[in-house]
Amino acid sequence: MRVLVTGSSGQLGRALAAAAPAGTVLRACTHAELDIAQEAAVRAVFADFVPELVINAAAFTRVEDAERSPEDAARANATGPEVLAAACRGAGAWLTHVSTDFVFDGRQSHPYGVGASAAPLSVYGRTKLVGESAVRRELGERCSVVRASWLYSAAGGFAARMLALMKSAPELRVVSDQVGAPTHAAGLAGVLWALSVRRAAGLWHWCDSGVASWYDFAVAIAEEAVHLGLLAGAPPIVPIGTADYPTAAARPAYSVLDKRATERLLALTAPHWRVALRATLAAAGPGGARP
Ligand SMILES: NC(=O)c1ccc[n+]([C@@H]2O[C@H](COP(=O)([O-])OP(=O)(O)OC[C@H]3O[C@@H](n4cnc5c(N)ncnc54)[C@H](OP(=O)(O)O)[C@@H]3O)[C@@H](O)[C@H]2O)c1
């Protein structure tokens, strides 16, 4: 199968390339190699490579920066997916597109199902919602749209940022009143391949099992990293409230996703986030980061 992966140097893009099934003819394009919002560039790659499947891991994910640069966020998160979807329609290719738990406002206190009303609080969430709607409008039953939450890998996201800070900061203050499900990028990559291979049409949710606040996640990263010898020791980690750490972007207080339909379809159970965290950090090893 000929597969185009976009945004291939991001944390999910790398994990997707690492998990490509045997027999895949993979074209992995970084942002520099393919800007998904540039119609002519997308047309050229489709003409040259003729993909049967496209997995879109490209996005503007810097939630704070998106508030200051909404046009840039919209270009990557809304225009880009629409351009890709139109190209897929023209070529008869399947599109698997990735979206986010940040399309929800976080007022719910039980996991969000795919039918729950989206009400994003931030520019990032709003532009991602426009992108997923554009993909579904353009492609109907010829796409999978997969919302994931709190993605991390040893090479990117919150875990990598925390590990770097823990090596130098005297103390870390981390928000304890936002709750979600930390989700390892390699696991999501496997799910995206499985849904794509099955041509599972429609909207799907994926996250690792269990729930955590950012504070819980940071404490677990410290404990696992010290246990694995990745850190000699960790600085004190202090729980703070969202109000104590003002940000430009509002974030949902609760954004756990109900992933049971995806688990049933694929006949698998998401690992608990803490188990996946341990395995992710152990695989990275003291020498550095892998996807
Ligand atoms: N990170 C999370 O916590 C999280 C949570 C839920 C869902 N998601 C979703 O998961 C997907 C993957 O996220 P990630 O964490 O892997 O993000 P990431 O590490 O930031 O990777 C995104 C990649 O997309 C590239 N990109 C940005 N604009 C582009 C454009 N116009 N054309 C082509 N490439 C472009 C970026 O390149 P530059 O760095 O050069 O801009 C980067 O390499 C996204 O759809 C995201 O919304 C992420």
Side-chain angles (χ1 to χ4, degrees), residues 29-92:
C29 288
T30 64
H31 190 178
E33 289 162 343
L34 176 64
D35 177 345
I36 60 166
Q38 268 192 21
E39 266 184 70
V42 170
R43 259 202 312 274
V45 169
F46 270 66
D48 179 52
F49 181 63
V50 195
E52 298 164 84
L53 164 66
V54 177
I55 307 183
N56 180 30
F60 187 112
T61 60
R62 300 186 309 277
V63 177
E64 283 302 288
D65 291 348
E67 299 294 317
R68 290 180 282 271
S69 310
E71 295 84 10
D72 293 340
R75 207 170 163 281
N77 296 342
T79 308
E82 185 171 12
V83 167
L84 274 183
C88 285
R89 186 160 54 81

Short mmCIF file of all heavy atoms in Angstrom, two decimals, residues 29-92:
data_model
loop_
_atom_site.label_atom_id
_atom_site.label_comp_id
_atom_site.label_asym_id
_atom_site.label_seq_id
_atom_site.Cartn_x
_atom_site.Cartn_y
_atom_site.Cartn_z
N CYS A 29 6.63 12.94 4.65
CA CYS A 29 7.02 14.32 4.31
C CYS A 29 7.04 15.20 5.55
O CYS A 29 6.04 15.31 6.28
CB CYS A 29 6.03 14.92 3.31
SG CYS A 29 6.16 14.22 1.67
N THR A 30 8.16 15.84 5.78
CA THR A 30 8.25 16.83 6.85
C THR A 30 7.54 18.12 6.40
O THR A 30 7.19 18.27 5.22
CB THR A 30 9.72 17.18 7.14
OG1 THR A 30 10.26 17.79 5.96
CG2 THR A 30 10.53 15.94 7.50
N HIS A 31 7.40 19.04 7.34
CA HIS A 31 6.80 20.34 7.02
C HIS A 31 7.58 21.02 5.88
O HIS A 31 7.00 21.58 4.96
CB HIS A 31 6.80 21.22 8.28
CG HIS A 31 6.01 22.47 8.15
ND1 HIS A 31 5.88 23.34 9.20
CD2 HIS A 31 5.32 23.03 7.12
CE1 HIS A 31 5.13 24.37 8.82
NE2 HIS A 31 4.78 24.20 7.56
N ALA A 32 8.93 20.94 5.99
CA ALA A 32 9.76 21.60 4.96
C ALA A 32 9.56 20.95 3.59
O ALA A 32 9.63 21.62 2.56
CB ALA A 32 11.23 21.52 5.38
N GLU A 33 9.25 19.67 3.59
CA GLU A 33 9.08 18.96 2.30
C GLU A 33 7.68 19.13 1.72
O GLU A 33 7.49 19.08 0.51
CB GLU A 33 9.38 17.47 2.49
CG GLU A 33 10.86 17.20 2.72
CD GLU A 33 11.14 15.84 3.33
OE1 GLU A 33 10.21 15.20 3.88
OE2 GLU A 33 12.30 15.42 3.29
N LEU A 34 6.68 19.28 2.60
CA LEU A 34 5.30 19.46 2.12
C LEU A 34 4.51 20.29 3.12
O LEU A 34 4.26 19.84 4.24
CB LEU A 34 4.62 18.09 1.91
CG LEU A 34 3.15 18.19 1.49
CD1 LEU A 34 3.00 18.87 0.13
CD2 LEU A 34 2.49 16.81 1.48
N ASP A 35 4.11 21.48 2.67
CA ASP A 35 3.19 22.31 3.46
C ASP A 35 1.78 21.91 3.02
O ASP A 35 1.40 22.15 1.86
CB ASP A 35 3.49 23.79 3.15
CG ASP A 35 2.52 24.73 3.86
OD1 ASP A 35 1.48 24.27 4.37
OD2 ASP A 35 2.81 25.94 3.90
N ILE A 36 1.02 21.31 3.93
CA ILE A 36 -0.27 20.75 3.53
C ILE A 36 -1.30 21.82 3.13
O ILE A 36 -2.32 21.49 2.55
CB ILE A 36 -0.87 19.82 4.62
CG1 ILE A 36 -1.11 20.60 5.94
CG2 ILE A 36 -0.01 18.59 4.83
CD1 ILE A 36 -1.99 19.85 6.93
N ALA A 37 -1.01 23.08 3.47
CA ALA A 37 -1.95 24.14 3.09
C ALA A 37 -1.67 24.69 1.69
O ALA A 37 -2.41 25.52 1.19
CB ALA A 37 -1.92 25.27 4.12
N GLN A 38 -0.59 24.22 1.08
CA GLN A 38 -0.23 24.71 -0.26
C GLN A 38 -0.78 23.76 -1.32
O GLN A 38 -0.21 22.68 -1.56
CB GLN A 38 1.29 24.77 -0.40
CG GLN A 38 1.86 26.11 -0.01
CD GLN A 38 3.31 26.24 -0.43
OE1 GLN A 38 3.77 25.52 -1.32
NE2 GLN A 38 4.03 27.12 0.22
N GLU A 39 -1.84 24.18 -1.97
CA GLU A 39 -2.52 23.29 -2.92
C GLU A 39 -1.59 22.75 -3.99
O GLU A 39 -1.62 21.56 -4.31
CB GLU A 39 -3.64 24.08 -3.60
CG GLU A 39 -4.98 23.90 -2.92
CD GLU A 39 -6.08 24.62 -3.68
OE1 GLU A 39 -6.42 24.15 -4.79
OE2 GLU A 39 -6.54 25.63 -3.15
N ALA A 40 -0.76 23.64 -4.53
CA ALA A 40 0.10 23.21 -5.65
C ALA A 40 1.10 22.15 -5.17
O ALA A 40 1.37 21.17 -5.88
CB ALA A 40 0.83 24.42 -6.23
N ALA A 41 1.63 22.36 -3.97
CA ALA A 41 2.61 21.40 -3.44
C ALA A 41 1.94 20.05 -3.17
O ALA A 41 2.51 18.99 -3.45
CB ALA A 41 3.22 21.95 -2.15
N VAL A 42 0.73 20.08 -2.64
CA VAL A 42 -0.01 18.83 -2.37
C VAL A 42 -0.31 18.13 -3.69
O VAL A 42 -0.11 16.91 -3.83
CB VAL A 42 -1.30 19.13 -1.57
CG1 VAL A 42 -2.20 17.90 -1.50
CG2 VAL A 42 -0.94 19.62 -0.16
N ARG A 43 -0.76 18.91 -4.68
CA ARG A 43 -1.05 18.31 -6.01
C ARG A 43 0.18 17.63 -6.58
O ARG A 43 0.12 16.53 -7.11
CB ARG A 43 -1.53 19.40 -6.98
CG ARG A 43 -3.03 19.43 -7.17
CD ARG A 43 -3.45 20.11 -8.47
NE ARG A 43 -2.81 21.39 -8.69
CZ ARG A 43 -3.25 22.55 -8.22
NH1 ARG A 43 -4.36 22.58 -7.50
NH2 ARG A 43 -2.62 23.67 -8.47
N ALA A 44 1.34 18.30 -6.42
CA ALA A 44 2.59 17.75 -6.99
C ALA A 44 2.96 16.43 -6.32
O ALA A 44 3.35 15.46 -7.01
CB ALA A 44 3.72 18.77 -6.83
N VAL A 45 2.84 16.36 -5.00
CA VAL A 45 3.17 15.10 -4.30
C VAL A 45 2.20 13.99 -4.70
O VAL A 45 2.61 12.84 -4.94
CB VAL A 45 3.17 15.31 -2.76
CG1 VAL A 45 3.25 13.98 -2.03
CG2 VAL A 45 4.35 16.19 -2.34
N PHE A 46 0.91 14.33 -4.83
CA PHE A 46 -0.07 13.32 -5.25
C PHE A 46 0.23 12.83 -6.67
O PHE A 46 0.13 11.63 -6.95
CB PHE A 46 -1.50 13.89 -5.17
CG PHE A 46 -2.16 13.68 -3.84
CD1 PHE A 46 -1.68 14.31 -2.70
CD2 PHE A 46 -3.27 12.84 -3.70
CE1 PHE A 46 -2.28 14.12 -1.46
CE2 PHE A 46 -3.87 12.64 -2.46
CZ PHE A 46 -3.38 13.28 -1.35
N ALA A 47 0.61 13.75 -7.56
CA ALA A 47 0.89 13.36 -8.95
C ALA A 47 2.13 12.46 -8.99
O ALA A 47 2.18 11.48 -9.74
CB ALA A 47 1.11 14.61 -9.80
N ASP A 48 3.10 12.77 -8.17
CA ASP A 48 4.36 12.03 -8.19
C ASP A 48 4.25 10.67 -7.49
O ASP A 48 4.72 9.65 -7.98
CB ASP A 48 5.44 12.90 -7.50
CG ASP A 48 6.78 12.19 -7.46
OD1 ASP A 48 7.23 11.75 -8.52
OD2 ASP A 48 7.34 12.07 -6.35
N PHE A 49 3.57 10.65 -6.32
CA PHE A 49 3.61 9.44 -5.47
C PHE A 49 2.35 8.58 -5.61
O PHE A 49 2.38 7.37 -5.41
CB PHE A 49 3.80 9.87 -4.00
CG PHE A 49 3.86 8.73 -3.04
CD1 PHE A 49 4.89 7.78 -3.11
CD2 PHE A 49 2.89 8.56 -2.06
CE1 PHE A 49 4.93 6.72 -2.22
CE2 PHE A 49 2.93 7.49 -1.16
CZ PHE A 49 3.96 6.57 -1.25
N VAL A 50 1.21 9.22 -5.95
CA VAL A 50 -0.09 8.54 -6.09
C VAL A 50 -0.43 7.69 -4.85
O VAL A 50 -0.49 6.45 -4.90
CB VAL A 50 -0.14 7.66 -7.38
CG1 VAL A 50 -1.59 7.28 -7.69
CG2 VAL A 50 0.49 8.37 -8.55
N PRO A 51 -0.67 8.35 -3.71
CA PRO A 51 -0.97 7.60 -2.48
C PRO A 51 -2.34 6.93 -2.53
O PRO A 51 -3.28 7.46 -3.14
CB PRO A 51 -0.95 8.68 -1.39
CG PRO A 51 -1.29 9.94 -2.10
CD PRO A 51 -0.73 9.81 -3.50
N GLU A 52 -2.42 5.77 -1.87
CA GLU A 52 -3.74 5.14 -1.68
C GLU A 52 -4.31 5.53 -0.32
O GLU A 52 -5.51 5.49 -0.11
CB GLU A 52 -3.58 3.61 -1.72
CG GLU A 52 -3.04 3.09 -3.04
CD GLU A 52 -2.54 1.66 -2.89
OE1 GLU A 52 -3.37 0.74 -2.97
OE2 GLU A 52 -1.32 1.47 -2.65
N LEU A 53 -3.40 5.88 0.59
CA LEU A 53 -3.79 6.27 1.94
C LEU A 53 -2.92 7.46 2.35
O LEU A 53 -1.72 7.47 2.07
CB LEU A 53 -3.53 5.09 2.90
CG LEU A 53 -3.50 5.39 4.41
CD1 LEU A 53 -4.87 5.83 4.91
CD2 LEU A 53 -3.05 4.13 5.18
N VAL A 54 -3.56 8.45 3.00
CA VAL A 54 -2.82 9.58 3.56
C VAL A 54 -3.11 9.61 5.06
O VAL A 54 -4.27 9.54 5.47
CB VAL A 54 -3.26 10.91 2.91
CG1 VAL A 54 -2.53 12.09 3.56
CG2 VAL A 54 -3.01 10.88 1.41
N ILE A 55 -2.06 9.68 5.89
CA ILE A 55 -2.28 9.88 7.33
C ILE A 55 -1.72 11.26 7.67
O ILE A 55 -0.51 11.52 7.49
CB ILE A 55 -1.60 8.80 8.19
CG1 ILE A 55 -2.02 7.39 7.71
CG2 ILE A 55 -1.97 8.99 9.65
CD1 ILE A 55 -1.46 6.24 8.55
N ASN A 56 -2.61 12.13 8.12
CA ASN A 56 -2.22 13.51 8.37
C ASN A 56 -1.81 13.72 9.82
O ASN A 56 -2.66 13.82 10.71
CB ASN A 56 -3.36 14.47 8.01
CG ASN A 56 -2.94 15.92 8.27
OD1 ASN A 56 -1.75 16.25 8.16
ND2 ASN A 56 -3.90 16.76 8.60
N ALA A 57 -0.50 13.80 10.05
CA ALA A 57 0.03 14.08 11.40
C ALA A 57 0.54 15.51 11.48
O ALA A 57 1.18 15.88 12.47
CB ALA A 57 1.14 13.09 11.74
N ALA A 58 0.26 16.31 10.45
CA ALA A 58 0.71 17.71 10.45
C ALA A 58 -0.31 18.57 11.20
O ALA A 58 -1.51 18.41 11.01
CB ALA A 58 0.85 18.21 9.02
N ALA A 59 0.18 19.46 12.02
CA ALA A 59 -0.71 20.39 12.71
C ALA A 59 0.11 21.48 13.37
O ALA A 59 1.31 21.31 13.62
CB ALA A 59 -1.52 19.66 13.79
N PHE A 60 -0.55 22.59 13.65
CA PHE A 60 0.02 23.65 14.48
C PHE A 60 -0.42 23.32 15.89
O PHE A 60 -1.59 23.49 16.24
CB PHE A 60 -0.53 25.01 14.02
CG PHE A 60 0.11 26.20 14.69
CD1 PHE A 60 0.91 27.07 13.95
CD2 PHE A 60 -0.09 26.46 16.04
CE1 PHE A 60 1.49 28.19 14.57
CE2 PHE A 60 0.49 27.57 16.65
CZ PHE A 60 1.28 28.43 15.91
N THR A 61 0.50 22.80 16.72
CA THR A 61 0.11 22.25 18.03
C THR A 61 0.51 23.14 19.21
O THR A 61 0.27 22.76 20.35
CB THR A 61 0.74 20.85 18.23
OG1 THR A 61 2.15 20.99 18.16
CG2 THR A 61 0.26 19.86 17.20
N ARG A 62 1.14 24.29 18.91
CA ARG A 62 1.58 25.15 20.03
C ARG A 62 0.39 25.98 20.49
O ARG A 62 0.08 27.03 19.93
CB ARG A 62 2.77 25.99 19.57
CG ARG A 62 3.97 25.13 19.12
CD ARG A 62 5.20 25.96 18.80
NE ARG A 62 4.96 27.05 17.91
CZ ARG A 62 4.92 26.96 16.57
NH1 ARG A 62 5.12 25.81 15.98
NH2 ARG A 62 4.69 28.02 15.84
N VAL A 63 -0.28 25.45 21.51
CA VAL A 63 -1.58 25.98 21.93
C VAL A 63 -1.49 27.46 22.32
O VAL A 63 -2.36 28.26 21.96
CB VAL A 63 -2.14 25.12 23.09
CG1 VAL A 63 -3.45 25.67 23.62
CG2 VAL A 63 -2.31 23.67 22.63
N GLU A 64 -0.43 27.84 23.02
CA GLU A 64 -0.27 29.24 23.41
C GLU A 64 -0.02 30.13 22.20
O GLU A 64 -0.65 31.18 22.04
CB GLU A 64 0.90 29.39 24.39
CG GLU A 64 0.58 28.93 25.80
CD GLU A 64 -0.59 29.70 26.39
OE1 GLU A 64 -0.43 30.88 26.71
OE2 GLU A 64 -1.68 29.11 26.51
N ASP A 65 0.90 29.70 21.33
CA ASP A 65 1.25 30.50 20.14
C ASP A 65 0.03 30.69 19.23
O ASP A 65 -0.09 31.69 18.52
CB ASP A 65 2.37 29.83 19.34
CG ASP A 65 3.70 29.88 20.08
OD1 ASP A 65 3.79 30.62 21.09
OD2 ASP A 65 4.64 29.17 19.66
N ALA A 66 -0.85 29.70 19.22
CA ALA A 66 -2.03 29.78 18.34
C ALA A 66 -2.89 31.00 18.69
O ALA A 66 -3.50 31.62 17.81
CB ALA A 66 -2.85 28.50 18.45
N GLU A 67 -2.93 31.39 19.97
CA GLU A 67 -3.72 32.56 20.37
C GLU A 67 -3.14 33.83 19.76
O GLU A 67 -3.87 34.76 19.42
CB GLU A 67 -3.74 32.70 21.90
CG GLU A 67 -4.35 31.53 22.63
CD GLU A 67 -5.84 31.36 22.36
OE1 GLU A 67 -6.57 32.36 22.34
OE2 GLU A 67 -6.26 30.19 22.17
N ARG A 68 -1.80 33.86 19.61
CA ARG A 68 -1.14 35.05 19.07
C ARG A 68 -1.08 35.02 17.55
O ARG A 68 -0.96 36.06 16.92
CB ARG A 68 0.28 35.15 19.65
CG ARG A 68 0.31 35.50 21.12
CD ARG A 68 1.71 35.61 21.65
NE ARG A 68 2.31 34.31 21.91
CZ ARG A 68 2.21 33.65 23.07
NH1 ARG A 68 1.53 34.19 24.07
NH2 ARG A 68 2.78 32.49 23.23
N SER A 69 -1.12 33.81 16.96
CA SER A 69 -1.01 33.67 15.50
C SER A 69 -2.16 32.82 14.97
O SER A 69 -1.94 31.73 14.44
CB SER A 69 0.31 33.01 15.12
OG SER A 69 1.39 33.61 15.76
N PRO A 70 -3.40 33.31 15.12
CA PRO A 70 -4.54 32.47 14.73
C PRO A 70 -4.55 32.12 13.24
O PRO A 70 -5.01 31.04 12.87
CB PRO A 70 -5.76 33.32 15.11
CG PRO A 70 -5.26 34.70 15.33
CD PRO A 70 -3.82 34.60 15.70
N GLU A 71 -3.99 33.03 12.41
CA GLU A 71 -3.99 32.72 10.96
C GLU A 71 -3.08 31.54 10.67
O GLU A 71 -3.41 30.68 9.84
CB GLU A 71 -3.54 33.93 10.12
CG GLU A 71 -4.47 35.13 10.17
CD GLU A 71 -4.20 36.02 11.39
OE1 GLU A 71 -3.17 35.79 12.07
OE2 GLU A 71 -5.04 36.89 11.68
N ASP A 72 -1.93 31.51 11.34
CA ASP A 72 -1.01 30.38 11.12
C ASP A 72 -1.63 29.07 11.60
O ASP A 72 -1.50 28.02 10.96
CB ASP A 72 0.32 30.61 11.86
CG ASP A 72 1.09 31.78 11.28
OD1 ASP A 72 0.81 32.16 10.12
OD2 ASP A 72 1.95 32.34 11.99
N ALA A 73 -2.30 29.15 12.76
CA ALA A 73 -2.95 27.94 13.29
C ALA A 73 -4.04 27.47 12.33
O ALA A 73 -4.16 26.27 12.05
CB ALA A 73 -3.52 28.22 14.67
N ALA A 74 -4.82 28.41 11.82
CA ALA A 74 -5.92 28.04 10.91
C ALA A 74 -5.38 27.45 9.61
O ALA A 74 -5.97 26.53 9.03
CB ALA A 74 -6.79 29.27 10.63
N ARG A 75 -4.26 27.97 9.16
CA ARG A 75 -3.67 27.49 7.91
C ARG A 75 -3.32 26.00 8.04
O ARG A 75 -3.66 25.18 7.19
CB ARG A 75 -2.40 28.32 7.65
CG ARG A 75 -2.06 28.43 6.23
CD ARG A 75 -0.96 29.45 5.99
NE ARG A 75 -0.47 29.14 4.68
CZ ARG A 75 0.36 28.15 4.43
NH1 ARG A 75 0.85 27.43 5.41
NH2 ARG A 75 0.70 27.88 3.18
N ALA A 76 -2.65 25.65 9.14
CA ALA A 76 -2.20 24.26 9.31
C ALA A 76 -3.35 23.34 9.74
O ALA A 76 -3.42 22.19 9.30
CB ALA A 76 -1.08 24.21 10.35
N ASN A 77 -4.23 23.85 10.60
CA ASN A 77 -5.22 22.97 11.24
C ASN A 77 -6.56 22.92 10.51
O ASN A 77 -7.33 21.98 10.72
CB ASN A 77 -5.47 23.42 12.69
CG ASN A 77 -4.22 23.30 13.54
OD1 ASN A 77 -3.29 22.58 13.18
ND2 ASN A 77 -4.19 23.99 14.68
N ALA A 78 -6.85 23.94 9.69
CA ALA A 78 -8.14 23.97 9.00
C ALA A 78 -7.96 23.92 7.48
O ALA A 78 -8.46 23.02 6.81
CB ALA A 78 -8.92 25.22 9.41
N THR A 79 -7.17 24.89 6.94
CA THR A 79 -6.98 24.91 5.48
C THR A 79 -6.24 23.65 5.01
O THR A 79 -6.64 23.01 4.03
CB THR A 79 -6.16 26.17 5.08
OG1 THR A 79 -6.79 27.30 5.64
CG2 THR A 79 -6.07 26.30 3.57
N GLY A 80 -5.16 23.30 5.72
CA GLY A 80 -4.35 22.14 5.31
C GLY A 80 -5.17 20.85 5.20
O GLY A 80 -5.15 20.19 4.16
N PRO A 81 -5.91 20.49 6.24
CA PRO A 81 -6.73 19.27 6.14
C PRO A 81 -7.75 19.34 5.00
O PRO A 81 -8.01 18.34 4.33
CB PRO A 81 -7.43 19.22 7.51
CG PRO A 81 -6.49 19.93 8.43
CD PRO A 81 -5.85 21.01 7.61
N GLU A 82 -8.30 20.55 4.74
CA GLU A 82 -9.27 20.67 3.65
C GLU A 82 -8.59 20.43 2.30
O GLU A 82 -9.13 19.74 1.43
CB GLU A 82 -9.92 22.07 3.70
CG GLU A 82 -11.02 22.23 2.69
CD GLU A 82 -11.81 23.51 2.86
OE1 GLU A 82 -11.36 24.39 3.64
OE2 GLU A 82 -12.85 23.64 2.22
N VAL A 83 -7.39 21.00 2.15
CA VAL A 83 -6.65 20.81 0.90
C VAL A 83 -6.30 19.32 0.72
O VAL A 83 -6.47 18.75 -0.38
CB VAL A 83 -5.36 21.69 0.92
CG1 VAL A 83 -4.41 21.30 -0.20
CG2 VAL A 83 -5.72 23.16 0.84
N LEU A 84 -5.84 18.69 1.79
CA LEU A 84 -5.49 17.26 1.71
C LEU A 84 -6.73 16.43 1.36
O LEU A 84 -6.66 15.50 0.55
CB LEU A 84 -4.96 16.76 3.06
CG LEU A 84 -3.48 16.93 3.37
CD1 LEU A 84 -3.19 16.29 4.73
CD2 LEU A 84 -2.59 16.31 2.29
N ALA A 85 -7.85 16.77 2.01
CA ALA A 85 -9.08 16.00 1.77
C ALA A 85 -9.53 16.14 0.31
O ALA A 85 -9.94 15.16 -0.32
CB ALA A 85 -10.19 16.48 2.71
N ALA A 86 -9.43 17.35 -0.24
CA ALA A 86 -9.83 17.55 -1.64
C ALA A 86 -8.92 16.73 -2.56
O ALA A 86 -9.39 16.10 -3.53
CB ALA A 86 -9.77 19.04 -1.99
N ALA A 87 -7.63 16.71 -2.24
CA ALA A 87 -6.69 15.93 -3.06
C ALA A 87 -7.01 14.44 -2.96
O ALA A 87 -6.96 13.71 -3.96
CB ALA A 87 -5.26 16.21 -2.62
N CYS A 88 -7.35 13.98 -1.76
CA CYS A 88 -7.70 12.56 -1.56
C CYS A 88 -8.96 12.22 -2.36
O CYS A 88 -9.05 11.16 -2.98
CB CYS A 88 -7.92 12.25 -0.09
SG CYS A 88 -6.38 12.16 0.85
N ARG A 89 -9.93 13.13 -2.33
CA ARG A 89 -11.17 12.87 -3.08
C ARG A 89 -10.86 12.72 -4.57
O ARG A 89 -11.30 11.79 -5.23
CB ARG A 89 -12.18 14.00 -2.84
CG ARG A 89 -13.53 13.72 -3.47
CD ARG A 89 -14.63 14.58 -2.85
NE ARG A 89 -14.33 16.00 -2.88
CZ ARG A 89 -14.50 16.78 -3.92
NH1 ARG A 89 -15.00 16.30 -5.04
NH2 ARG A 89 -14.17 18.06 -3.86
N GLY A 90 -10.03 13.66 -5.07
CA GLY A 90 -9.66 13.62 -6.49
C GLY A 90 -8.93 12.34 -6.87
O GLY A 90 -9.12 11.79 -7.95
N ALA A 91 -8.13 11.83 -5.94
CA ALA A 91 -7.28 10.67 -6.25
C ALA A 91 -7.91 9.35 -5.80
O ALA A 91 -7.34 8.29 -6.03
CB ALA A 91 -5.93 10.85 -5.55
N GLY A 92 -9.05 9.42 -5.14
CA GLY A 92 -9.67 8.19 -4.61
C GLY A 92 -8.87 7.59 -3.46
O GLY A 92 -8.92 6.38 -3.23
#
